[in-house]
Amino acid sequence: MDWLTWHDQYDVPGSYLAQRLHVVQERIRLALDASPPGPLRLISLCSGQGRDVLEVLAEHPRRDDVRARLVELDPHNTAIASEAIASHGLDQVEVLTADAALTDHYQDLTPADIVLVCGVFGNITDEDIERTIDTCPQLCTTDGVVIWTRHRQAPDRVPLICRWFEERGFEREWVSPPEAGFGVGVHRFTSQPRPLLPGRRMFTFIGYDELPDDFPAEEPS
């Protein structure tokens, strides 16, 4: 899969990805607005070109409060993200070309105030979705939020994802309606964070084009 070319769909007005990106960005803005004064931490798993985070931070009044790390395996996309970081003067944002599934990459930034898991859940197995959600209490601080995405094609996993979060100390803050055609969710962590265990793999990124035929597809952000 050419993930660099694939990202061009974000620039097509009215496309599925453009609409979903707009919703994710709005949820990031709201999360920043609602965050307490002082320094904030943000991490993004499988961050792609980082458009969701970087385009929001570039214009947000809390931009200088946020220390962020974007983790993405594709070097072409991380190069674009790095250029955007430099052009917007986001000195406290770093992009890491690495496997986002490994907990080691988040050791010094957890627990975080905002955790993005966008474009992940449609590219991994159900078992890995649950494993990733099970790790979120190690990634997210108390009263922090996880913003996540998942398509709503049959079988619709959004209700199950919500249940898995809520079984692990998260409260549902907002989920996009089914008629939107895509799933974007925000869950706020109301419990105490657990220490992040090093050397753990949360998921194996299979890719929507490589999943079995009975596995519906979602593209990464």
Side-chain angles (χ1 to χ4, degrees), residues 50-124:
R51 297 187 185 202
D52 45 10
V53 174
L54 301 179
E55 292 176 11
V56 172
L57 286 182
E59 300 179 350
H60 200 278
R62 298 293 306 272
R63 54 174 284 160
D64 293 332
D65 293 334
V66 179
R67 182 186 173 198
R69 178 172 299 149
L70 316 181
V71 185
E72 163 65 32
L73 189 59
D74 187 283
H76 302 293
N77 286 324
T78 56
I80 291 173
S82 295
E83 291 174 3
I85 289 168
S87 67
H88 293 309
L90 295 169
D91 297 335
Q92 297 187 105
V93 179
E94 64 176 313
V95 59
L96 182 63
T97 304
D99 186 348
L102 301 179
T103 57
D104 290 351
H105 301 314
Y106 311 101
Q107 284 286 339
D108 59 333
L109 271 180
T110 54
D113 301 276
I114 301 174
V115 177
L116 298 182
V117 190
C118 296
V120 177
F121 290 159
N123 289 289
I124 62 179

Side-chain angles (χ1 to χ4, degrees), residues 13-29:
S15 70
Y16 164 89
L17 290 179
Q19 293 179 60
R20 191 184 74 179
L21 175 62
H22 175 77
V23 172
V24 170
Q25 289 177 331
E26 180 60 21
R27 290 294 140 183
I28 295 172
R29 289 188 190 95

